[in-house]
Amino acid sequence: MRLFVFDVDGTLVSDFSTELNKELINTLNEVLDRGDAIAIASGRPYSGIIQYLNQLKDGNKFCICANGALVTDIKGNVLFKNPLKLKYFYQFCEEYKEILDSIDGNIYAYLFNGVGYIKYNEFIDGEYKLNGNYQPISLVENQLDDETDILKFMVASLPEHSLEIERSISEKWKTDFLMVRSSPMFIEFNNKSANKSPATAFLAKYLNIDKKNVYTFGDGGNDFLMIRDFNGVAMGNATEECKKVATFITKTAKENGVVYAIKELIK
């Protein structure tokens, strides 16, 4: 058995679509028909991942959620988790209140049952729409304990402001947490030991699959470690950092790079 692990945005889909194209579905179904396992490893929550896996036939399918903070089976049963405490989200919001006060920025938390927010704007609306009705939860109206487990928290802003925000974040947050840029709009914070690579390693061990039989596909900063640590496939639209550590560089997501890579690598 082999394990194929795929990022979503910029890898399986190119435009935040919630639908996989027919050629990609057919190729992934062939992987499942061979008895191999498929996992989707994304910054998205379970509800945002399962909508893609449900487009495939039955088989060995798994979810690596929130950049590796949570691993579940197809039914959502938790196999592994590495969360943060909600208090760190509150501390960040207090320290960077100007982001919350800005017109187009936001800071919000991935809870286990929805997206927790202090300010509602289009980013919260987008999380709900793109992640299978991932429910918005007001943390003003629903005050949760500081020790509540969360999967991660995110800083969202327009691309032209995001780099400036990143430069303003203190070294404490960059060293005490795993901070990654997943897109031109999003900066994400996880538990320092939570990322897609150890989550993939856990799943491979859980399935008794040797590391040499693990293939990882991605394009962004939150994919770098799993591309580096396994048989990594960097999309044609991937960052240069991802391409430098990849075993194979494929076509872009728009060009069905996942399909191309699987056909080239698995003869």
Side-chain angles (χ1 to χ4, degrees):
M1 181 189 290
R2 288 167 292 204
L3 172 61
F4 293 83
V5 182
F6 304 98
D7 172 51
V8 175
D9 300 301
T11 301
L12 291 178
V13 299
S14 61
D15 54 0
F16 295 101
S17 171
T18 57
E19 299 292 329
L20 303 177
N21 69 61
K22 186 174 181 180
E23 186 180 7
L24 179 57
I25 289 173
N26 290 340
T27 299
L28 296 181
N29 281 340
E30 289 172 6
V31 170
L32 293 170
D33 281 340
R34 291 196 295 263
D36 293 329
I38 285 176
I40 291 183
S42 174
R44 293 175 182 245
Y46 172 80
S47 61
I49 291 175
I50 196 66
Q51 62 186 339
Y52 297 100
L53 288 176
N54 283 341
Q55 295 173 50
L56 307 178
K57 62 171 51 180
D58 291 341
N60 296 311
K61 300 186 291 187
F62 299 87
C63 305
I64 298 176
C65 312
N67 298 323
L70 180 70
V71 181
T72 77
D73 64 15
I74 192 68
K75 295 181 179 179
N77 296 310
V78 176
L79 306 178
F80 169 87
K81 63 180 180 178
N82 197 350
L84 284 174
K85 297 298 182 182
L86 184 61
K87 63 183 177 183
Y88 298 119
F89 164 74
Y90 287 138
Q91 289 171 12
F92 190 92
C93 288
E94 182 64 28
E95 188 168 340
Y96 295 96
K97 191 172 181 293
E98 66 274 11
I99 300 174
L100 281 175
D101 290 340
S102 67
I103 296 174
D104 52 33
N106 208 341
I107 309 168
Y108 51 89
Y110 270 35
L111 310 178
F112 279 76
N113 60 336
V115 55
Y117 68 91
I118 294 173
K119 177 182 77 173
Y120 194 101
N121 66 1
E122 66 272 12
F123 286 111
I124 306 301
D125 196 46
E127 293 286 345
Y128 172 76
K129 291 177 179 177
L130 292 174
N131 287 316
N133 297 329
Y134 191 44
Q135 292 297 319
I137 299 173
S138 170
L139 295 177
V140 176
E141 297 175 3
N142 302 277
Q143 295 187 3
L144 302 179
D145 186 88
D146 282 1
E147 294 300 312
T148 300
D149 283 341
I150 65 172
L151 298 176
K152 66 175 182 178
F153 65 87
M154 298 182 61
V155 180
S157 64
L158 297 179
E160 56 264 33
H161 299 148
S162 189
L163 286 175
E164 182 181 347
I165 289 172
E166 183 177 358
R167 286 192 291 267
S168 74
I169 296 172
S170 70
E171 285 301 314
K172 176 190 75 172
W173 292 101
K174 296 177 181 179
T175 56
D176 290 355
F177 300 86
L178 180 65
M179 186 184 99
V180 296
R181 173 174 290 284
S182 57
S183 86
M185 293 188 295
F186 298 120
I187 303 168
E188 311 193 11
F189 291 85
N190 281 86
N191 186 309
K192 192 163 181 69
S193 59
N195 68 70
K196 294 182 182 183
S197 181
T200 297
F202 164 82
L203 188 55
K205 184 176 181 181
Y206 176 82
L207 295 170
N208 197 28
I209 297 174
D210 191 272
K211 182 178 179 179
K212 68 182 181 182
N213 291 320
V214 178
Y215 296 83
T216 53
F217 297 67
D219 71 302
N222 58 344
D223 304 314
F224 173 83
L225 292 174
M226 75 168 184
I227 290 174
R228 183 196 68 185
D229 294 342
F230 298 94
N231 295 310
V233 177
M235 305 302 292
N237 49 276
T239 64
E240 288 305 311
E241 289 78 12
C242 286
K243 290 179 179 179
K244 286 177 183 177
V245 298
T247 302
F248 185 83
I249 300 174
T250 188
K251 297 180 180 181
T252 67
K254 286 183 179 180
E255 298 170 310
N256 249 356
V258 167
V259 172
Y260 177 80
I262 289 175
K263 290 180 178 179
E264 287 295 310
L265 291 170
I266 311 301
K267 302 295 185 181

